[in-house]
Amino acid sequence: QVQVLESGGGLVQAGGSLRLSCVISGNIFSIPNVGWDRQAPGKQREQVARIVTGRDTYYADSVKGRFTIARDNAKNTVYLQMNSLEPEDTAVYYCNADVQMSRGTIPFDYWGQGTQVTVSS
């Protein structure tokens, strides 16, 4: 079994910063890909940032230059540093990880329960 647990959400004023953390635990051999998605009220879930194969990063255009994704492989933890937050960033943020449980097996996709980020104007 694998567990994905996010933390760090909260209420912040526009222009402020938050850092989200996601700890992936359980039966883990490797985590090829990990990232963050978000879903605002009445909108579809969208990909925000991702680290692919441990090195390459992807950012949605709306967060480029403001958000930074990073991972600590020793701790199986991924972070999302969010700066210059805007009211449009208000959403539930979900951590998503592709987890390989043993060598040669296909990675499975795991999601956390989400953490609320609210940015006031």
Side-chain angles (χ1 to χ4, degrees):
Q1 287 284 32
V2 173
Q3 295 80 42
V4 178
L5 183 62
E6 306 101 332
S7 63
L11 173 64
V12 65
Q13 288 188 332
S17 298
L18 282 174
R19 188 176 83 152
L20 305 182
S21 299
C22 171
V23 177
I24 304 143
S25 60
N27 187 13
I28 300 169
F29 174 73
S30 72
I31 306 174
N33 305 310
V34 64
W36 294 89
D37 288 31
R38 68 185 180 187
Q39 187 165 20
K43 295 186 178 181
Q44 288 189 332
R45 189 173 294 192
E46 65 171 341
Q47 187 167 291
V48 175
R50 196 155 193 87
I51 295 180
V52 179
T53 62
R55 294 183 179 181
D56 297 329
T57 56
Y58 160 84
Y59 295 95
D61 288 342
S62 58
V63 307
K64 281 181 182 176
R66 300 188 298 122
F67 290 12
T68 303
I69 188 170
R71 64 186 288 177
D72 184 335
N73 292 328
K75 298 180 179 179
N76 286 335
T77 301
V78 61
Y79 305 97
L80 185 67
Q81 177 67 43
M82 306 185 294
N83 298 328
S84 302
L85 283 161
E86 303 168 353
E88 293 74 23
D89 296 316
T90 295
V92 178
Y93 284 71
Y94 298 91
C95 180
N96 167 235
D98 292 336
V99 178
Q100 187 182 25
M101 292 189 183
S102 60
R103 187 185 300 275
T105 59
I106 298 173
F108 282 95
D109 196 19
Y110 291 90
W111 291 83
Q113 294 295 313
T115 184
Q116 176 71 46
V117 172
T118 303
V119 184
S120 63
S121 57

